[in-house]
């Protein structure tokens, strides 16, 4: 979304992203589950760019990560280190890492926990809060464009709404792949893992009876991952002394507004500005400032992302017809100005 694209522009990375991402010409193309009737479609492309100074793109997550990781010197990136201990001592933080061969100790002026919804670093910052289970799971597939039906190739983010579930698809990786995200009741499934594998036959059964185009797109998939959807209540604080949280470690949210990565990038930019030029003795105050800038906005997005599935998953009937009528009369791109616009960036980053 535009609030992620603008920071990449400032880093000089937009051209790199554009080489792999797909510029959306239409977003929020809501369709009826049974026959594909279009309930609402939002023009994006030039309209979005004129309103918010950036277009909206869809991308393979790995391509976005590559964009960022290429800016890091290889020697500065150490993989396969699991943080097992953090102790704050004066103006230093002592860390212990477990690797395949040994335990390694290190010290730092500041520690940033970017370790996700199951963050280990969070225990140093905030009281324990159990992840909240949504009752839903997400199925994800990447389908080769050569196998996918032609209707799925369009630079459009389509959302099919139906009783108890919804189905999303759009092209990624320079339109060579079609990404599928299908949300359905989780049943007994509780695994929250990027690597947990699902069964295509189970996914197909979830959408049995839907429009044939949905069924054909599922049938073109050769594999699927599946994970249960969790979020957390807003944390009382994001930092303690010289330790702070960022991204899902600070504000794990449901994916229904597609803002998880965008909010993490906003965190990173604000944090970088807060720490720039700060000496070690001022580090803790800089982290408090970062929290003050970012926490209200990210928590608002977190809470906004809840309950969307109720609206998306209405059974056919009066409430569903009312929702569809509201969709047809909506203006979500303009209504998202508080989220997509750059007002918060001007207010906060210009003063840092």
């Amino acid at each position: 979304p535009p609030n992620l694209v603008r920071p990449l522009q400032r880093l000089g990375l937009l051209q790199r992203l554009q080489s792999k991402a797909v510029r959306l010409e239409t977003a929020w193309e809501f369709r009826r589950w049974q026959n594909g009737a279009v309930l609402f479609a939002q023009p994006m492309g030039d309209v979005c760019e004129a309103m918010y100074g950036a277009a909206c793109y869809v991308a393979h997550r790995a391509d976005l990560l590559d964009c960022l990781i290429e800016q890091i010197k290889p020697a500065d990136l150490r993989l396969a280190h699991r943080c097992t201990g953090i102790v704050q001592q004066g103006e230093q933080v002592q860390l212990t890492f477990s690797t395949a061969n040994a335990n390694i100790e290190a010290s730092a002026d500041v520690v940033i926990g970017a370790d996700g919804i199951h963050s280990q670093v969070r225990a140093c910052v905030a009281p324990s809060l159990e992840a909240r289970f949504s009752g839903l799971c997400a199925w994800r597939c990447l389908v080769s464009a050569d196998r996918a039906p032609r209707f799925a190739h369009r630079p459009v983010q389509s959302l099919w709404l139906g009783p108890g579930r919804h189905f999303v698809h759009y092209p990624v990786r320079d339109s060579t792949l079609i990404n599928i995200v299908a949300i359905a009741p989780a049943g007994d499934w509780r695994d929250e893992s990027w690597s947990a594998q699902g069964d295509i036959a189970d996914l197909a059964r979830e959408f049995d009876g839907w429009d044939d185009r949905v069924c054909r797109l599922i049938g073109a998939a050769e594999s699927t991952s599946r994970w249960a959807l969790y979020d957390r209540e807003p944390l009382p604080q994001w930092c303690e002394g010289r330790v702070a949280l960022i991204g899902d470690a600070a504000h794990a949210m449901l994916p229904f507004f597609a803002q998880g990565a965008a909010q993490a990038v906003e965190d990173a930019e604000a944090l970088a500005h807060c720490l720039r030029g700060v000496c070690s003795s001022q580090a803790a105050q800089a982290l408090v400032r970062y929290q003050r800038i970012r926490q209200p906005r990210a928590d608002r997005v977190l809470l906004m992302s809840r309950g969307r599935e109720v609206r998306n998953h209405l059974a056919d009937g009066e409430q569903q017809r009312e929702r569809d009528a509201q969709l047809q009369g909506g203006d979500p791109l303009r209504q998202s100005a508080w989220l997509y616009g750059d007002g918060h960036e001007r207010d906060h980053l210009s003063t840092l």
Side-chain angles (χ1 to χ4, degrees), residues 177-254:
L177 295 171
I178 309 302
N179 188 46
I180 294 173
V181 184
I183 308 296
D188 295 332
W189 193 270
R190 294 294 184 274
D191 289 351
E192 200 278 331
S193 167
W194 285 91
S195 58
Q197 293 299 302
D199 189 304
I200 292 291
D202 291 339
L203 171 58
R205 278 192 289 272
E206 290 288 348
F207 293 87
D208 185 39
W210 283 48
D211 185 287
D212 180 62
R213 286 167 287 186
V214 169
C215 298
R216 284 190 288 122
L217 183 52
I218 293 173
E222 297 179 288
S223 63
T224 182
S225 60
R226 181 185 183 188
W227 66 89
L229 294 179
Y230 294 81
D231 69 359
R232 287 183 180 272
E233 295 295 330
L235 297 176
Q237 61 188 53
W238 290 10
C239 60
E240 176 62 41
R242 294 171 174 272
V243 181
L245 304 174
I246 194 173
D248 278 0
H251 44 71
M253 59 187 64
L254 296 174

Side-chain angles (χ1 to χ4, degrees), residues 107-161:
S107 62
D109 297 317
V110 169
V111 171
I112 306 301
D115 50 341
I117 188 170
H118 302 297
S119 170
Q120 299 297 304
V121 178
R122 186 168 47 233
C124 300
V125 172
S128 176
L129 290 175
E130 290 298 317
R132 188 190 71 97
F133 179 47
S134 69
L136 301 169
C137 70
W139 305 75
R140 292 184 183 263
C141 314
L142 285 168
V143 179
S144 170
D146 294 338
R147 294 173 53 86
R150 291 298 305 173
F151 81 90
H153 293 203
R154 301 169 304 140
V156 172
Q157 180 192 48
S158 293
L159 296 87
W160 300 67
L161 307 183

